[in-house]
Amino acid sequence: MAEIVRKSSVDEILNHWILAGSCILLMITGFAFLFHMEAVASVFGGFNTMKEVHNWGGVVFTLSMLYSMRHYLKDAFEYDADDAQWFKVAGGYLSHKVKVPPMGKYNPGQKLYYLAVVGAGIAIALSGFAIWFMKDNGTIMLLAHLVHNVAFCIFVLAVPVHIYLGTLANPGTFKLMVSGTLPLEEAKRRYPKWMKAAGKM
Ligand code: HEM
């Protein structure tokens, strides 16, 4: 039987589902607040209960985002010459003629995506808690709403791209979100530097 490699631990898989679930719930309810969508609010029992769901969803998102640092933060700060070359050829997404350099466990696009999630995540969490608890301070309210909306735009741009790349654009990748495993031969092809470091090739 083909040897299987574990890319994500059970801990990582659960963390990702909670992070993704809370993030998407926040994006849907956030959109509904921004554009005053009665139909969406009615699903949650009205705007007041949707606000409760949004606030506590924010707590879940903040905790899972902070917890995810133990999985991805170290990798997200490490780049080498192959990563620089990966940017030059746009990861091979724009042309099949370019040679994509060998990758480690995560490609630089994924590492930058993670830094965007953490950066925008911290900004959206801090401003969200300010909106929740500092209603009496007009200046902070104004600033917090601005930061909250700018960070929201980053999520609106980055998350759909991430979902597309994790599903349709790279068939087989979604399996990593569910089982966290892949066949050794595929791992060797997709993450040769990681497999070399693990002594598998
Ligand atoms: C619900 C739709 C989503 C799908 C289908 C999805 C899919 C995936 C997959 C397949 C991976 C593993 C990639 C690999 O190891 O090569 C992954 C990793 C990851 N996902 Fe998601 N994801 C979703 C939502 C989210 C959301 C909403 C966030 C954050 C707000 C997020 C954050 C991450 C992070 C930080 C990683 C690890 C590093 C990276 O691949 O960039 N994901 N996702």
Side-chain angles (χ1 to χ4, degrees), residues 28-164:
I28 293 170
T29 49
F31 241 106
F33 283 122
L34 206 57
F35 299 106
H36 207 81
M37 296 161 132
E38 307 261 1
V40 177
S42 69
V43 174
F44 294 91
F47 280 100
N48 287 338
T49 39
M50 189 166 79
K51 182 83 197 136
E52 291 291 318
V53 170
H54 191 81
N55 287 354
W56 290 101
V59 174
V60 174
F61 171 79
T62 305
L63 294 176
S64 55
M65 184 264 298
L66 292 174
Y67 188 77
S68 74
M69 290 183 183
R70 72 191 291 256
H71 302 308
Y72 313 117
L73 199 62
K74 188 174 167 287
D75 278 335
F77 279 113
E78 287 170 357
Y79 297 84
D80 61 16
D82 286 328
D83 288 334
Q85 183 58 24
W86 187 94
F87 280 117
K88 281 191 195 147
V89 299
Y93 283 109
L94 302 180
S95 163
H96 291 300
K97 291 189 191 126
V98 294
K99 192 178 175 313
V100 181
M103 286 289 110
K105 194 170 181 187
Y106 297 103
N107 68 44
Q110 289 175 293
K111 294 189 258 193
L112 283 188
Y113 170 70
Y114 184 63
L115 293 180
V117 166
V118 170
I122 290 173
I124 213 161
L126 288 177
S127 54
F129 287 118
I131 294 168
W132 192 357
F133 294 112
M134 299 173 84
K135 282 192 186 63
D136 299 333
N137 187 321
T139 315
I140 289 192
M141 276 299 98
L142 208 65
L143 202 68
H145 274 99
L146 175 70
V147 172
H148 210 65
N149 286 351
V150 171
F152 180 60
C153 291
I154 296 176
F155 279 98
V156 168
L157 291 173
V159 170
V161 175
H162 171 72
I163 295 175
Y164 173 63

